[in-house]
Amino acid sequence: MSLTEGLVERYLAVWNESDAENRRKAVAEIWSEDGLYANTGQEFRGHEGIEAAVTEAYVDFVAKGFAFRLHAHSVNHEAARITWNMVPKDGGDIAARGTQYLTFAKDGRIRTDHQFPEEI
């Protein structure tokens, strides 16, 4: 998978996905088996760990009326930067913004994913 095949859209969609089985499948398609997702408080490894992080974010934010939306992205060889906004689903001001720094495995799936919250 490459960014030109819609990885950015799929990446953001998994964080907004309401169906647990669809989240599980998307995590396996987007991250490598030994992938790492790290936010400022924790590290989550492998599909099971990353799925737990995605589900936690869904429960804490999306299920409570927010959505993650793309702000910007860029690619640099085998790495990418995605900046997102968390906004109320029904419209309103940005509640949070963050940047993900991704590196890719040879098969194009995410190998590492580091999140950095930003001031808005």
Side-chain angles (χ1 to χ4, degrees):
M1 173 187 342
S2 72
L3 288 172
T4 59
E5 294 172 359
L7 178 63
V8 172
E9 292 82 8
R10 293 178 69 207
Y11 178 86
L12 286 168
V14 72
W15 297 94
N16 291 305
E17 177 58 57
S18 62
D19 182 87
E21 184 59 29
N22 288 341
R23 278 196 304 270
R24 182 175 298 109
K25 289 177 184 176
V27 165
E29 293 171 359
I30 295 170
W31 280 272
S32 61
E33 289 86 3
D34 62 347
L36 165 73
Y37 165 72
N39 59 33
T40 56
Q42 297 181 54
E43 290 185 356
F44 301 86
R45 295 184 181 275
H47 290 160
E48 187 175 308
I50 294 167
E51 181 188 345
V54 172
T55 298
E56 182 180 310
Y58 177 83
V59 169
D60 289 348
F61 304 110
V62 179
K64 294 179 181 174
F66 291 96
F68 296 100
R69 303 283 187 241
L70 179 65
H71 176 70
H73 77 279
S74 60
V75 179
N76 184 344
H77 300 277
E78 302 301 317
R81 176 183 52 82
I82 299 172
T83 305
W84 49 264
N85 295 326
M86 186 178 75
V87 297
K89 286 181 191 176
D90 297 328
D93 294 335
I94 297 169
R97 175 176 287 160
T99 296
Q100 308 297 131
Y101 290 97
L102 312 175
T103 62
F104 299 99
K106 292 194 183 289
D107 67 2
R109 292 185 291 172
I110 298 169
R111 177 123 169 103
T112 64
D113 177 354
H114 289 83
Q115 180 187 79
F116 295 84
E118 298 180 14
E119 296 291 324
I120 52 171

